[in-house]
Amino acid sequence: MKSVLIAGVGGIGGLIAGQMIRKYGDDITLLARGERKRFLEEEGIVMRSDFYGDFTVKPAKVISSCEGEEPFDLILV
């Protein structure tokens, strides 16, 4: 698998995205709009968890539309 898009980066989507970015880094793209997009670009995903530990990851790419993007190998909604 080469590229993954995660749409819906809220509570559950953020948990999945954070773990996947830790493991696969630049292969993960997030889909978000407005203030959420700006926050993810500037602050990243901030995880505070007794189970997974505390960490922050910055996504390599956050897009607001798939228009003009190469096809993704996997899309998680």
Side-chain angles (χ1 to χ4, degrees), residues 52 63 74:
Y52 294 108
I63 61 174
L74 176 66

Side-chain angles (χ1 to χ4, degrees), residues 32-44 62:
R33 286 178 264 183
E35 194 60 37
R36 183 69 173 150
K37 180 180 186 296
R38 282 186 288 283
F39 182 85
L40 289 168
E41 290 172 330
E42 294 171 11
E43 303 295 327
V62 183

